Amino acid sequence: MSSIFAHYGVDWFAMALSLYAAYLLGNKQKLGFIVFAVSNIIWIVLGIFFMSSMGMALGNFAFFLINVRGFISWNKTS
């Protein structure tokens, strides 16, 4: 079993940001999209350069695009 701090805690930080972003969005705060986007960027970097997981990187890139879309369309009326 590898160390839970194999990635110097950066993965834990990204996970904490993701949870905080979900909390913010649950409270209808637009800042949640920005926090999610930052965590997605961290996950992309971890996936490509440290974990060799293109699936994680591509998945988080898709989530990043969804967060950008959500941020832009937050105040638009249908």
Side-chain angles (χ1 to χ4, degrees):
M1 178 180 219
S2 63
S3 170
I4 62 170
F5 295 109
H7 305 290
Y8 307 103
V10 176
D11 51 341
W12 288 96
F13 177 66
M15 181 197 61
L17 281 178
S18 298
L19 293 172
Y20 181 55
Y23 172 80
L24 289 172
L25 289 174
N27 287 327
K28 299 181 181 182
Q29 295 183 24
K30 190 176 180 180
L31 177 63
F33 289 112
I34 296 169
V35 176
F36 251 136
V38 171
S39 74
N40 293 140
I41 291 169
I42 294 170
W43 282 118
I44 291 167
V45 171
L46 281 171
I48 293 173
F49 297 109
F50 296 98
M51 297 178 181
S52 300
S53 174
M54 289 307 292
M56 183 188 334
L58 289 174
N60 276 283
F61 182 71
F63 289 138
F64 175 79
L65 293 177
I66 291 168
N67 284 314
V68 170
R69 180 191 171 276
F71 184 83
I72 292 169
S73 65
W74 181 268
N75 293 322
K76 287 184 180 178
T77 56
S78 304

